[in-house]
């Protein structure tokens, strides 16, 4: 009997603790502690509210270097052909074009959810030899250039994404016209002083939707050059010449231009109301060739400057942001090494082994 009473007491207590034999309030259970998850680091394209671009080539995209493609697909959502979509690569003879490398880049971009920024229809440093020596009248020369621009823009407008937008969303129509080299080149001499405006008009005639950019260097550092570009834009607007954006190349140094100069010149360009593309960003850190390896102090200074630049870009009104394109993936890929004759230069976000540098962290921090 005593055993039965004991069992009854245990059963009753169990029911009460489970809430099955009592309608009174239940005791609040002590929650099981949950570890705070480690925040997942965002990629560049995830952190930015605008496209982040990288230069590519058809051969690099098709090559055996899977590291390049892995980082490209992970971090970037816009690509620019470094050379494959320039005039010298595509305009192979009178009324004759080879778009195969550009097509390969477009196909890759489409398959991986990226846009393509076309670079560059007309540049005085990318003229095919046959056109440079074209023995014809100036009118016939102009007709060849017009035909090339319109054929190229129309061709690359064809391939669309799932939303019906052309994969090639934009073009640098003319590159670096405010230079001595451009003034001495055949476009200026054979088409005339208005060749830039003609090129933009021809491009618009070929595609009413593509974004048309003027692209140049030192716009971030030289107020006089920035003002010259703004004067050109104002002349275009007054004469109904189409232009949608300005590419500020942004080949900068870790120590210059200062934030004040960068801000002043950006505002000059921004006041046009056009789209703004930081189109060829890279950053020297050893122009005096004093270093034989990237020191921690210099790496930190580069990190800070990259952060400064991406933070500055975020101040642009949303409707004018077209994105930031970085001019090379690894340090040893950069054109700056040969340009300055200096193999001890580290201008980009990744080292020669595809390692993430402090510069990458600074760039990312500026986006966040």
């Amino acid at each position: 009997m005593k055993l039965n009473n004991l069992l009854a007491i245990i059963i009753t207590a169990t029911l009460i603790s489970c809430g099955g034999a009592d309608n009174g309030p239940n005791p609040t259970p002590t929650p099981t502690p949950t570890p705070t998850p480690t925040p997942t680091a965002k990629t560049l394209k995830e952190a930015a509210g605008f496209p982040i671009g990288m230069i590519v080539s058809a051969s690099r995209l098709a090559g055996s270097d899977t590291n390049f493609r892995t980082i490209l697909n992970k971090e970037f959502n816009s690509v620019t052909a470094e050379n494959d979509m320039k005039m010298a690569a595509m305009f192979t003879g009178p009324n004759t074009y080879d778009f195969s490398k550009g097509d390969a880049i477009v196909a890759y971009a489409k398959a991986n959810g990226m846009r393509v920024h076309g670079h560059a229809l007309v540049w005085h440093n990318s003229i095919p030899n046959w056109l440079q020596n074209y023995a014809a009248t100036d009118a016939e020369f102009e007709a060849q250039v017009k035909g090339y621009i319109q054929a190229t823009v129309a061709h690359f407008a064809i391939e669309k994404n799932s939303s019906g937008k052309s994969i090639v969303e934009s073009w640098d129509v003319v590159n670096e016209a405010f230079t001595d080299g451009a003034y001495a080149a055949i476009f200026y001499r054979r088409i005339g002083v208005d060749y830039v405006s003609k090129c933009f008009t021809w491009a618009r005639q070929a595609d009413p939707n593509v974004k048309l950019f003027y692209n140049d260097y030192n716009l971030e550092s030289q107020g006089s050059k920035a003002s010259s570009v703004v004067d050109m834009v104002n002349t275009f607007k007054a004469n109904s010449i189409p232009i949608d954006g300005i590419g500020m190349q942004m080949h900068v140094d870790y120590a210059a231009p200062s934030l004040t100069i960068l801000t002043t010149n950006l505002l000059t360009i921004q006041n046009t109301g056009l789209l703004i593309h930081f189109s060829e960003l890279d950053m020297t850190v050893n122009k005096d060739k004093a270093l034989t390896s990237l020191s921690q102090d210099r790496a930190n200074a580069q990190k800070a400057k990259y952060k400064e630049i991406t933070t500055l870009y975020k101040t642009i009104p949303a409707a004018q942001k077209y994105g930031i394109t970085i001019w090379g993936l690894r340090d040893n890929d950069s054109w700056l090494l040969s340009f300055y004759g200096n193999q001890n230069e580290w201008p980009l976000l990744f080292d020669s082994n595809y390692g993430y540098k402090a510069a990458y962290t600074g760039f990312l921090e500026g986006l966040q």
Side-chain angles (χ1 to χ4, degrees), residues 92-128:
T92 56
N95 305 311
T96 307
Y97 318 105
D98 181 359
F99 299 131
S100 58
K101 292 180 179 179
D103 287 343
I105 291 170
V106 170
Y108 185 94
K110 182 177 182 179
N112 290 281
M114 300 174 178
R115 77 173 185 193
V116 174
H117 175 67
H119 174 81
L121 290 171
V122 172
W123 182 36
H124 62 275
N125 281 334
S126 183
I127 303 172

Side-chain angles (χ1 to χ4, degrees), residues 340-353:
Y340 288 112
N342 182 16
Q343 294 303 301
N344 293 322
E345 186 57 89
W346 307 276
L348 301 171
L349 305 187
F350 297 85
D351 66 25
S352 59
N353 295 314

Side-chain angles (χ1 to χ4, degrees), residues 84-243:
D84 288 344
M85 293 170 71
K86 289 175 179 171
M87 178 188 275
M90 299 188 296
F91 199 5
T92 56
N95 305 311
T96 307
Y97 318 105
D98 181 359
F99 299 131
S100 58
K101 292 180 179 179
D103 287 343
I105 291 170
V106 170
Y108 185 94
K110 182 177 182 179
N112 290 281
M114 300 174 178
R115 77 173 185 193
V116 174
H117 175 67
H119 174 81
L121 290 171
V122 172
W123 182 36
H124 62 275
N125 281 334
S126 183
I127 303 172
N129 288 334
W130 74 266
L131 184 63
Q132 185 75 55
N133 301 300
Y134 191 49
T137 67
D138 288 348
E140 290 169 330
F141 175 90
E142 180 174 322
Q144 285 296 322
V145 175
K146 176 182 179 180
Y148 148 76
I149 289 174
Q150 296 195 325
T152 301
V153 172
H155 173 84
F156 285 106
I158 294 171
E159 199 66 43
K160 305 272 197 302
N161 62 22
S162 58
S163 301
K165 180 183 290 187
S166 294
I167 301 297
V168 179
E169 293 187 16
S170 52
W171 277 99
D172 289 330
V173 179
V174 177
N175 192 48
E176 301 176 4
F178 291 93
T179 60
D180 291 341
Y183 297 141
I186 55 173
F187 303 118
Y188 192 94
R189 289 188 284 108
R190 301 200 67 177
I191 298 176
V193 295
D194 60 345
Y195 84 92
V196 176
S197 63
K198 286 183 175 181
C199 291
F200 275 82
T201 299
W202 297 333
R204 174 58 73 232
Q205 289 169 349
D207 184 350
N209 299 312
V210 69
K211 301 298 183 185
L212 306 179
F213 281 75
Y214 175 76
N215 191 56
D216 215 331
Y217 63 87
N218 286 348
L219 297 184
E220 72 286 341
S221 58
Q222 293 182 4
S224 58
K225 192 170 190 178
S227 295
S228 294
V229 171
V230 170
D231 289 344
M232 179 192 73
V233 169
N234 291 336
T235 299
F236 275 24
K237 290 178 177 180
N239 291 278
S240 300
I241 305 298
I243 184 169

Side-chain angles (χ1 to χ4, degrees), residues 26-104:
N26 297 326
T28 302
T30 302
T32 302
T34 302
T36 302
T38 302
T40 302
K42 287 187 175 182
T43 64
L44 300 182
K45 67 183 181 183
E46 290 170 341
F50 43 83
I52 301 295
M54 175 52 58
I55 55 171
V56 299
S57 66
S59 61
R60 196 80 182 268
L61 294 176
S64 59
D65 186 355
T66 58
N67 290 322
F68 177 84
R69 294 192 296 275
T70 297
I71 293 178
L72 176 68
N73 293 353
K74 177 183 177 182
E75 299 285 348
F76 303 93
N77 52 11
S78 177
V79 293
T80 298
E82 183 176 16
N83 293 301
D84 288 344
M85 293 170 71
K86 289 175 179 171
M87 178 188 275
M90 299 188 296
F91 199 5
T92 56
N95 305 311
T96 307
Y97 318 105
D98 181 359
F99 299 131
S100 58
K101 292 180 179 179
D103 287 343

